[in-house]
Structures are given as C-alpha cells and as structure tokens.
C-alpha cells in the first residue's frame, strides 16, 4: 500500500517533531532491562523507528512492527527492519517486547515470538493530574489499566516505574503539528482538520513561555512483565 500525501506529512511530523519526546521513557526501560549486546528486541507500533535506533545504539538486535505504511516507510529509510504485522515464532525468539500502545490484538499476536521468561513492557500516561497533553482540548483518553492488561495477557508482573516525559516545542506551530501526529486529537472539531488545528493552537496558549516555546509536562508509567 502506498501512503497518501497527507499520511506521509503526518508521519514526518511524528518523526521530525514528536517521537523524540518519549526518549526518556525508552531509555529508562532499556536501563532497567539492561538492553545491550546479545539482546533481541521487538517493538510493537514502533512508528518511524526511534526506539529501535536507541536499542541498536546499545548493541541490541531490534525489529519493529508498524501497521501504518507511511511510518513504516520512514523507519525503513533509516535502514531498520520493520514489518507490518507481528512475526511468527522462530527458533530465535525475542528477549524483550515493547508494547507501549499496541493496537487491538497485536500484543496477543506478538507474545508467541517472545522467549519463555522474556520481558514484556507496557506503558501509558501516568496520573491525569500529572499529564498535560491528554487534558489539552478539554480531555483525552484515560490511562489504561496496565496491571489489568498484564493479567489479561497471562503475564507475570515484574515491577513498574514512572518517567518524566515533558513535551517541549519551539513554538505553537510545531506543537500543533507534533501533537496532531499522535492521533490523540483525531476526533476533535467534528473531524474538521483545519478547525482542529485552530482549536488546538488556542488551547496551547496557556502553556507558552515568554520566548514562544511550548512546554507540556507529563508523567508516563510503565510495567514490566514476564512471559510464562
């Protein structure tokens, strides 16, 4: 499938503006799991591949799953191994599965590719009062119950943590582009993209600094679990 021009622009906004906002979360998880040489990592919904690049930079072997063709194309431009659907189990299973915000069914589909006792990491927004981004435009999705997701998947809990991930932008325009690339506001303004951009820009004014930069503090929570 060839990405549409609009999808390609949104994917580039994600790659050029937004995905770096989650670097503190990726690094905290990789530090905790000691991701490095000899570790095989599989990242679900890996976007344009930044989490894979960070893992590879530590010496790990990283593969991504990204259903969006525009983001998958950008990841492949970075010479990353990224596929459209979770791989089938092989003789060389993965040691770590990143499932920060997997689509319906993708977590269950990927689990068979993880070795016994391998780490599965789920992550989402932290406490609503500590997260600015979901509240912009008058509310956003409630954080998933990560512990319940671990139980439903038949995984064994193995700890959790919280990470400060501020979303910082040079100006309102870049903030609007970055935030819209997350998909959080797809239903805003009754599906009118131009109106959604206008309303989002107006909602960001309280978070502008004197130099025009936009600062949105957030806390993310992650949970580490182990396969049976």
């Amino acid at each position: 499938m060839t990405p549409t021009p609009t999808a390609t622009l949104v994917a580039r906004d994600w790659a050029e503006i937004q995905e770096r906002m989650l670097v503190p979360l990726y690094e905290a998880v990789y530090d905790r799991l000691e991701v490095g040489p000899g570790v095989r990592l599989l990242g679900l919904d890996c976007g344009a591949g930044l989490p894979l690049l960070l893992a590879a930079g530590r010496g790990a072997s990283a593969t991504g799953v990204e259903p969006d063709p525009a983001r998958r194309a950008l990841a492949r431009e970075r010479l990353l191994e990224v596929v459209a659907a979770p791989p089938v189990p092989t003789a060389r299973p993965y040691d770590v599965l990143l499932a920060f915000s997997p689509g319906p069914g993708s977590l269950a589909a990927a689990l068979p590719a993880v070795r016994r006792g391998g780490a599965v990491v789920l992550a989402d927004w932290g406490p609503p009062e500590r997260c600015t981004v979901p509240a912009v435009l008058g509310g956003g999705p409630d954080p998933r119950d990560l512990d319940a997701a671990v139980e439903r998947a038949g995984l064994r809990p193995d700890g959790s943590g919280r990470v400060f991930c501020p979303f910082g932008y040079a100006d309102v325009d870049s903030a609007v582009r970055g935030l819209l690339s997350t998909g959080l506001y797809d239903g805003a303004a009754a599906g009118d993209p131009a109106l959604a951009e206008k309303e989002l820009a107006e909602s960001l004014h309280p978070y502008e600094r004197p130099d025009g930069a936009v600062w949105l503090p957030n806390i993310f929570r992650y949970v580490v679990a182990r396969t049976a």
Side-chain angles (χ1 to χ4, degrees), residues 42-103:
L42 179 64
L44 293 185
D45 295 331
C46 69
L50 182 58
L52 308 182
L53 285 174
L54 295 174
R58 291 168 172 253
S61 173
T63 300
V65 178
E66 176 51 58
D68 180 71
R71 298 190 187 202
R72 192 167 63 247
L74 290 178
R76 288 174 175 171
E77 285 180 10
R78 292 169 163 174
L79 304 181
L80 297 168
E81 181 183 356
V82 179
V83 295
V88 298
T90 68
R92 297 187 62 210
Y94 292 94
D95 304 296
V96 177
L97 173 64
L98 296 185
F100 285 2
S101 56

Short mmCIF file of all heavy atoms in Angstrom, two decimals, residues 42-103:
data_model
loop_
_atom_site.label_atom_id
_atom_site.label_comp_id
_atom_site.label_asym_id
_atom_site.label_seq_id
_atom_site.Cartn_x
_atom_site.Cartn_y
_atom_site.Cartn_z
N LEU A 42 11.84 -6.68 20.15
CA LEU A 42 10.75 -6.48 19.19
C LEU A 42 9.89 -5.33 19.69
O LEU A 42 9.42 -5.35 20.83
CB LEU A 42 9.90 -7.76 19.08
CG LEU A 42 8.69 -7.69 18.13
CD1 LEU A 42 9.15 -7.49 16.69
CD2 LEU A 42 7.86 -8.98 18.24
N GLY A 43 9.71 -4.31 18.85
CA GLY A 43 8.92 -3.15 19.24
C GLY A 43 7.63 -3.06 18.47
O GLY A 43 7.64 -2.93 17.24
N LEU A 44 6.49 -3.14 19.18
CA LEU A 44 5.18 -3.00 18.53
C LEU A 44 4.86 -1.52 18.31
O LEU A 44 5.17 -0.67 19.16
CB LEU A 44 4.09 -3.63 19.39
CG LEU A 44 4.12 -5.14 19.58
CD1 LEU A 44 2.89 -5.60 20.37
CD2 LEU A 44 4.18 -5.87 18.25
N ASP A 45 4.19 -1.24 17.20
CA ASP A 45 3.82 0.14 16.86
C ASP A 45 5.01 1.06 17.05
O ASP A 45 4.96 2.06 17.78
CB ASP A 45 2.63 0.60 17.71
CG ASP A 45 1.36 -0.19 17.42
OD1 ASP A 45 1.22 -0.66 16.28
OD2 ASP A 45 0.53 -0.35 18.32
N CYS A 46 6.08 0.74 16.37
CA CYS A 46 7.37 1.43 16.57
C CYS A 46 7.47 2.75 15.84
O CYS A 46 8.50 3.42 15.91
CB CYS A 46 8.52 0.52 16.16
SG CYS A 46 8.60 0.21 14.38
N GLY A 47 6.42 3.15 15.11
CA GLY A 47 6.43 4.43 14.42
C GLY A 47 7.52 4.50 13.37
O GLY A 47 7.71 3.59 12.57
N ALA A 48 8.29 5.59 13.41
CA ALA A 48 9.37 5.77 12.45
C ALA A 48 10.67 5.12 12.93
O ALA A 48 11.71 5.29 12.30
CB ALA A 48 9.60 7.26 12.19
N GLY A 49 10.61 4.40 14.06
CA GLY A 49 11.73 3.55 14.44
C GLY A 49 12.69 4.08 15.48
O GLY A 49 13.70 3.43 15.75
N LEU A 50 12.40 5.22 16.11
CA LEU A 50 13.35 5.76 17.08
C LEU A 50 13.65 4.78 18.22
O LEU A 50 14.82 4.63 18.60
CB LEU A 50 12.85 7.08 17.65
CG LEU A 50 13.79 7.75 18.65
CD1 LEU A 50 15.15 8.02 18.03
CD2 LEU A 50 13.18 9.04 19.20
N PRO A 51 12.66 4.08 18.80
CA PRO A 51 13.01 3.12 19.87
C PRO A 51 13.94 2.03 19.39
O PRO A 51 14.77 1.53 20.15
CB PRO A 51 11.65 2.56 20.31
CG PRO A 51 10.71 2.85 19.20
CD PRO A 51 11.19 4.13 18.60
N LEU A 52 13.84 1.65 18.11
CA LEU A 52 14.74 0.64 17.57
C LEU A 52 16.15 1.19 17.43
O LEU A 52 17.13 0.50 17.73
CB LEU A 52 14.24 0.16 16.20
CG LEU A 52 12.79 -0.32 16.10
CD1 LEU A 52 12.51 -0.80 14.69
CD2 LEU A 52 12.49 -1.40 17.12
N LEU A 53 16.26 2.44 16.99
CA LEU A 53 17.57 3.07 16.85
C LEU A 53 18.28 3.16 18.21
O LEU A 53 19.48 2.90 18.31
CB LEU A 53 17.43 4.47 16.26
CG LEU A 53 17.12 4.57 14.76
CD1 LEU A 53 16.88 6.02 14.37
CD2 LEU A 53 18.26 3.99 13.94
N LEU A 54 17.52 3.52 19.25
CA LEU A 54 18.11 3.63 20.58
C LEU A 54 18.59 2.26 21.08
O LEU A 54 19.65 2.16 21.69
CB LEU A 54 17.10 4.23 21.55
CG LEU A 54 16.68 5.67 21.27
CD1 LEU A 54 15.56 6.08 22.22
CD2 LEU A 54 17.86 6.61 21.41
N ALA A 55 17.80 1.23 20.81
CA ALA A 55 18.20 -0.12 21.22
C ALA A 55 19.43 -0.57 20.44
O ALA A 55 20.37 -1.15 21.00
CB ALA A 55 17.05 -1.10 21.02
N ALA A 56 19.43 -0.31 19.14
CA ALA A 56 20.57 -0.69 18.31
C ALA A 56 21.83 0.05 18.74
O ALA A 56 22.93 -0.50 18.69
CB ALA A 56 20.26 -0.42 16.84
N GLY A 57 21.66 1.29 19.18
CA GLY A 57 22.79 2.06 19.66
C GLY A 57 23.43 1.47 20.90
O GLY A 57 24.60 1.73 21.19
N ARG A 58 22.67 0.65 21.62
CA ARG A 58 23.19 -0.04 22.80
C ARG A 58 23.76 -1.41 22.45
O ARG A 58 24.18 -2.15 23.33
CB ARG A 58 22.07 -0.20 23.83
CG ARG A 58 21.63 1.11 24.47
CD ARG A 58 20.33 0.92 25.26
NE ARG A 58 20.00 2.10 26.04
CZ ARG A 58 20.10 2.21 27.36
NH1 ARG A 58 20.53 1.17 28.08
NH2 ARG A 58 19.78 3.32 27.99
N GLY A 59 23.68 -1.78 21.17
CA GLY A 59 24.22 -3.06 20.73
C GLY A 59 23.20 -4.16 20.59
O GLY A 59 23.56 -5.29 20.26
N ALA A 60 21.91 -3.86 20.83
CA ALA A 60 20.87 -4.87 20.72
C ALA A 60 20.48 -5.09 19.26
O ALA A 60 20.72 -4.24 18.40
CB ALA A 60 19.64 -4.46 21.53
N SER A 61 19.86 -6.22 18.99
CA SER A 61 19.29 -6.50 17.69
C SER A 61 17.80 -6.17 17.76
O SER A 61 17.07 -6.79 18.53
CB SER A 61 19.49 -7.98 17.33
OG SER A 61 18.81 -8.31 16.14
N ALA A 62 17.36 -5.18 16.98
CA ALA A 62 16.00 -4.66 17.12
C ALA A 62 15.19 -4.81 15.84
O ALA A 62 15.67 -4.50 14.74
CB ALA A 62 16.04 -3.20 17.54
N THR A 63 13.96 -5.27 16.00
CA THR A 63 13.00 -5.39 14.90
C THR A 63 11.73 -4.67 15.32
O THR A 63 11.35 -4.69 16.49
CB THR A 63 12.67 -6.87 14.62
OG1 THR A 63 13.87 -7.55 14.25
CG2 THR A 63 11.66 -7.00 13.49
N GLY A 64 11.07 -4.02 14.37
CA GLY A 64 9.85 -3.29 14.69
C GLY A 64 8.63 -3.80 13.95
O GLY A 64 8.75 -4.43 12.89
N VAL A 65 7.48 -3.52 14.52
CA VAL A 65 6.19 -3.79 13.88
C VAL A 65 5.46 -2.45 13.78
O VAL A 65 5.28 -1.77 14.79
CB VAL A 65 5.34 -4.78 14.69
CG1 VAL A 65 3.98 -5.00 14.02
CG2 VAL A 65 6.07 -6.10 14.86
N GLU A 66 5.07 -2.06 12.59
CA GLU A 66 4.36 -0.79 12.39
C GLU A 66 3.32 -0.95 11.29
O GLU A 66 3.67 -1.11 10.12
CB GLU A 66 5.35 0.33 12.03
CG GLU A 66 4.70 1.66 11.72
CD GLU A 66 3.72 2.09 12.80
OE1 GLU A 66 4.13 2.22 13.97
OE2 GLU A 66 2.53 2.29 12.47
N PRO A 67 2.03 -0.94 11.64
CA PRO A 67 0.99 -1.15 10.62
C PRO A 67 0.80 0.03 9.67
O PRO A 67 0.31 -0.15 8.55
CB PRO A 67 -0.27 -1.38 11.46
CG PRO A 67 0.01 -0.72 12.78
CD PRO A 67 1.48 -0.87 13.00
N ASP A 68 1.18 1.25 10.08
CA ASP A 68 0.99 2.42 9.23
C ASP A 68 2.07 2.45 8.14
O ASP A 68 3.27 2.53 8.45
CB ASP A 68 1.08 3.70 10.06
CG ASP A 68 0.90 4.94 9.20
OD1 ASP A 68 -0.24 5.17 8.75
OD2 ASP A 68 1.89 5.65 8.95
N PRO A 69 1.68 2.39 6.87
CA PRO A 69 2.69 2.30 5.80
C PRO A 69 3.59 3.52 5.71
O PRO A 69 4.76 3.40 5.33
CB PRO A 69 1.86 2.10 4.53
CG PRO A 69 0.48 2.56 4.88
CD PRO A 69 0.31 2.30 6.33
N ALA A 70 3.09 4.71 6.02
CA ALA A 70 3.91 5.91 5.93
C ALA A 70 5.00 5.90 6.99
O ALA A 70 6.16 6.21 6.71
CB ALA A 70 3.03 7.15 6.08
N ARG A 71 4.66 5.53 8.22
CA ARG A 71 5.67 5.48 9.27
C ARG A 71 6.63 4.31 9.03
O ARG A 71 7.83 4.43 9.31
CB ARG A 71 4.99 5.36 10.63
CG ARG A 71 4.12 6.55 10.95
CD ARG A 71 3.63 6.56 12.37
NE ARG A 71 2.66 7.64 12.58
CZ ARG A 71 2.37 8.17 13.74
NH1 ARG A 71 2.97 7.73 14.83
NH2 ARG A 71 1.50 9.15 13.84
N ARG A 72 6.10 3.22 8.53
CA ARG A 72 6.96 2.07 8.23
C ARG A 72 7.98 2.44 7.15
O ARG A 72 9.15 2.05 7.24
CB ARG A 72 6.10 0.89 7.78
CG ARG A 72 6.84 -0.42 7.72
CD ARG A 72 5.89 -1.60 7.58
NE ARG A 72 5.11 -1.59 6.36
CZ ARG A 72 3.78 -1.42 6.31
NH1 ARG A 72 3.08 -1.24 7.43
NH2 ARG A 72 3.13 -1.44 5.16
N ALA A 73 7.55 3.21 6.16
CA ALA A 73 8.47 3.63 5.10
C ALA A 73 9.59 4.50 5.66
O ALA A 73 10.76 4.37 5.26
CB ALA A 73 7.70 4.38 4.02
N LEU A 74 9.25 5.40 6.60
CA LEU A 74 10.29 6.24 7.19
C LEU A 74 11.27 5.41 8.01
O LEU A 74 12.48 5.68 8.00
CB LEU A 74 9.63 7.31 8.08
CG LEU A 74 8.86 8.41 7.35
CD1 LEU A 74 8.23 9.36 8.36
CD2 LEU A 74 9.76 9.17 6.40
N ALA A 75 10.76 4.42 8.73
CA ALA A 75 11.65 3.55 9.51
C ALA A 75 12.60 2.79 8.59
O ALA A 75 13.79 2.64 8.90
CB ALA A 75 10.82 2.57 10.34
N ARG A 76 12.09 2.36 7.46
CA ARG A 76 12.95 1.63 6.53
C ARG A 76 13.98 2.55 5.88
O ARG A 76 15.07 2.10 5.50
CB ARG A 76 12.09 0.93 5.48
CG ARG A 76 11.32 -0.27 6.05
CD ARG A 76 10.36 -0.88 5.07
NE ARG A 76 9.74 -2.09 5.62
CZ ARG A 76 8.73 -2.74 5.04
NH1 ARG A 76 8.23 -2.30 3.90
NH2 ARG A 76 8.22 -3.81 5.61
N GLU A 77 13.64 3.85 5.73
CA GLU A 77 14.64 4.80 5.24
C GLU A 77 15.82 4.88 6.20
O GLU A 77 16.94 5.22 5.80
CB GLU A 77 14.00 6.19 5.09
CG GLU A 77 13.10 6.33 3.88
CD GLU A 77 12.50 7.72 3.77
OE1 GLU A 77 12.94 8.62 4.53
OE2 GLU A 77 11.59 7.92 2.94
N ARG A 78 15.56 4.59 7.48
CA ARG A 78 16.63 4.57 8.47
C ARG A 78 17.35 3.22 8.51
O ARG A 78 18.13 2.96 9.42
CB ARG A 78 16.03 4.88 9.85
CG ARG A 78 15.52 6.30 10.00
CD ARG A 78 14.71 6.46 11.29
NE ARG A 78 14.56 7.86 11.66
CZ ARG A 78 13.79 8.29 12.67
NH1 ARG A 78 13.13 7.41 13.41
NH2 ARG A 78 13.71 9.57 12.95
N LEU A 79 17.06 2.39 7.52
CA LEU A 79 17.69 1.07 7.38
C LEU A 79 17.34 0.15 8.55
O LEU A 79 18.15 -0.69 8.96
CB LEU A 79 19.22 1.20 7.24
CG LEU A 79 19.70 2.09 6.09
CD1 LEU A 79 21.21 2.13 6.04
CD2 LEU A 79 19.13 1.63 4.76
N LEU A 80 16.14 0.30 9.07
CA LEU A 80 15.66 -0.55 10.16
C LEU A 80 14.82 -1.69 9.62
O LEU A 80 14.17 -1.56 8.56
CB LEU A 80 14.84 0.28 11.14
CG LEU A 80 15.59 1.39 11.87
CD1 LEU A 80 14.62 2.31 12.59
CD2 LEU A 80 16.59 0.81 12.85
N GLU A 81 14.80 -2.78 10.35
CA GLU A 81 13.96 -3.92 9.98
C GLU A 81 12.59 -3.72 10.62
O GLU A 81 12.43 -3.87 11.84
CB GLU A 81 14.58 -5.22 10.47
CG GLU A 81 13.76 -6.45 10.09
CD GLU A 81 14.34 -7.75 10.63
OE1 GLU A 81 15.43 -7.71 11.24
OE2 GLU A 81 13.69 -8.79 10.46
N VAL A 82 11.61 -3.37 9.80
CA VAL A 82 10.26 -3.09 10.30
C VAL A 82 9.25 -3.79 9.41
O VAL A 82 9.30 -3.67 8.18
CB VAL A 82 9.97 -1.58 10.33
CG1 VAL A 82 8.56 -1.30 10.83
CG2 VAL A 82 10.99 -0.86 11.21
N VAL A 83 8.34 -4.53 10.03
CA VAL A 83 7.34 -5.30 9.30
C VAL A 83 5.95 -4.78 9.64
O VAL A 83 5.76 -4.01 10.58
CB VAL A 83 7.46 -6.80 9.62
CG1 VAL A 83 8.78 -7.35 9.12
CG2 VAL A 83 7.32 -7.04 11.12
N ALA A 84 4.95 -5.21 8.86
CA ALA A 84 3.60 -4.69 9.02
C ALA A 84 2.81 -5.40 10.11
O ALA A 84 1.85 -4.84 10.65
CB ALA A 84 2.85 -4.79 7.69
N ALA A 85 3.19 -6.63 10.45
CA ALA A 85 2.45 -7.42 11.44
C ALA A 85 3.43 -8.21 12.29
O ALA A 85 4.57 -8.46 11.86
CB ALA A 85 1.47 -8.36 10.74
N PRO A 86 3.03 -8.59 13.50
CA PRO A 86 3.95 -9.35 14.37
C PRO A 86 4.48 -10.58 13.68
O PRO A 86 3.74 -11.30 12.99
CB PRO A 86 3.06 -9.72 15.57
CG PRO A 86 2.05 -8.63 15.63
CD PRO A 86 1.76 -8.30 14.18
N PRO A 87 5.77 -10.86 13.82
CA PRO A 87 6.37 -12.03 13.15
C PRO A 87 5.92 -13.33 13.80
O PRO A 87 5.54 -13.35 14.97
CB PRO A 87 7.87 -11.80 13.35
CG PRO A 87 7.97 -10.98 14.60
CD PRO A 87 6.77 -10.09 14.59
N VAL A 88 5.98 -14.39 13.03
CA VAL A 88 5.64 -15.70 13.57
C VAL A 88 6.80 -16.18 14.44
O VAL A 88 7.94 -15.74 14.28
CB VAL A 88 5.37 -16.71 12.44
CG1 VAL A 88 4.18 -16.26 11.61
CG2 VAL A 88 6.60 -16.85 11.55
N PRO A 89 6.51 -17.06 15.40
CA PRO A 89 7.59 -17.59 16.26
C PRO A 89 8.68 -18.26 15.42
O PRO A 89 8.41 -18.90 14.42
CB PRO A 89 6.85 -18.60 17.14
CG PRO A 89 5.43 -18.17 17.13
CD PRO A 89 5.20 -17.58 15.77
N THR A 90 9.93 -18.07 15.86
CA THR A 90 11.07 -18.66 15.16
C THR A 90 11.94 -19.40 16.17
O THR A 90 11.68 -19.40 17.37
CB THR A 90 11.91 -17.58 14.47
OG1 THR A 90 12.53 -16.77 15.49
CG2 THR A 90 11.04 -16.69 13.58
N ALA A 91 12.99 -20.00 15.64
CA ALA A 91 13.93 -20.70 16.52
C ALA A 91 14.74 -19.73 17.37
O ALA A 91 15.40 -20.14 18.32
CB ALA A 91 14.86 -21.57 15.67
N ARG A 92 14.71 -18.43 17.02
CA ARG A 92 15.42 -17.41 17.79
C ARG A 92 14.39 -16.41 18.33
O ARG A 92 14.16 -15.35 17.73
CB ARG A 92 16.46 -16.69 16.92
CG ARG A 92 17.57 -17.59 16.40
CD ARG A 92 18.63 -16.75 15.71
NE ARG A 92 19.25 -15.81 16.65
CZ ARG A 92 19.74 -14.62 16.28
NH1 ARG A 92 19.64 -14.22 15.04
NH2 ARG A 92 20.31 -13.84 17.18
N PRO A 93 13.76 -16.73 19.44
CA PRO A 93 12.74 -15.84 19.98
C PRO A 93 13.33 -14.54 20.51
O PRO A 93 14.55 -14.42 20.71
CB PRO A 93 12.13 -16.67 21.12
CG PRO A 93 13.23 -17.60 21.53
CD PRO A 93 13.97 -17.92 20.28
N TYR A 94 12.47 -13.57 20.74
CA TYR A 94 12.90 -12.26 21.24
C TYR A 94 13.01 -12.29 22.76
O TYR A 94 12.27 -12.99 23.45
CB TYR A 94 11.92 -11.18 20.79
CG TYR A 94 11.95 -10.96 19.29
CD1 TYR A 94 11.07 -11.62 18.44
CD2 TYR A 94 12.90 -10.10 18.72
CE1 TYR A 94 11.11 -11.44 17.08
CE2 TYR A 94 12.94 -9.91 17.35
CZ TYR A 94 12.06 -10.57 16.53
OH TYR A 94 12.11 -10.40 15.17
N ASP A 95 13.92 -11.47 23.26
CA ASP A 95 14.12 -11.36 24.72
C ASP A 95 13.24 -10.27 25.33
O ASP A 95 12.87 -10.36 26.51
CB ASP A 95 15.59 -11.01 25.02
CG ASP A 95 16.55 -12.02 24.41
OD1 ASP A 95 16.51 -13.19 24.83
OD2 ASP A 95 17.32 -11.64 23.52
N VAL A 96 12.96 -9.24 24.55
CA VAL A 96 12.19 -8.09 25.05
C VAL A 96 11.13 -7.71 24.03
O VAL A 96 11.42 -7.64 22.83
CB VAL A 96 13.11 -6.87 25.30
CG1 VAL A 96 12.28 -5.65 25.74
CG2 VAL A 96 14.17 -7.19 26.35
N LEU A 97 9.92 -7.46 24.51
CA LEU A 97 8.83 -6.97 23.67
C LEU A 97 8.36 -5.63 24.22
O LEU A 97 7.91 -5.55 25.37
CB LEU A 97 7.67 -7.97 23.66
CG LEU A 97 6.38 -7.51 22.95
CD1 LEU A 97 6.63 -7.29 21.47
CD2 LEU A 97 5.26 -8.51 23.17
N LEU A 98 8.50 -4.58 23.41
CA LEU A 98 7.95 -3.27 23.78
C LEU A 98 6.54 -3.18 23.22
O LEU A 98 6.34 -3.28 22.02
CB LEU A 98 8.80 -2.14 23.18
CG LEU A 98 10.25 -1.99 23.64
CD1 LEU A 98 10.84 -0.73 23.00
CD2 LEU A 98 10.34 -1.91 25.15
N ALA A 99 5.58 -2.99 24.10
CA ALA A 99 4.18 -2.90 23.69
C ALA A 99 3.57 -1.68 24.35
O ALA A 99 2.61 -1.77 25.10
CB ALA A 99 3.42 -4.17 24.06
N PHE A 100 4.16 -0.51 24.10
CA PHE A 100 3.75 0.70 24.81
C PHE A 100 2.30 1.08 24.52
O PHE A 100 1.57 1.49 25.41
CB PHE A 100 4.68 1.86 24.46
CG PHE A 100 6.03 1.77 25.11
CD1 PHE A 100 6.36 0.69 25.93
CD2 PHE A 100 6.97 2.73 24.92
CE1 PHE A 100 7.60 0.61 26.54
CE2 PHE A 100 8.23 2.67 25.52
CZ PHE A 100 8.53 1.60 26.33
N SER A 101 1.88 0.99 23.28
CA SER A 101 0.49 1.32 22.95
C SER A 101 0.04 0.45 21.79
O SER A 101 -0.28 0.95 20.71
CB SER A 101 0.36 2.81 22.58
OG SER A 101 1.24 3.14 21.54
N PRO A 102 0.01 -0.86 22.00
CA PRO A 102 -0.29 -1.76 20.88
C PRO A 102 -1.75 -1.68 20.44
O PRO A 102 -2.64 -1.42 21.25
CB PRO A 102 0.02 -3.14 21.47
CG PRO A 102 -0.23 -2.99 22.93
CD PRO A 102 0.22 -1.59 23.25
N GLY A 103 -1.98 -1.89 19.15
CA GLY A 103 -3.34 -1.92 18.65
C GLY A 103 -4.04 -3.20 19.09
O GLY A 103 -3.43 -4.11 19.64
#
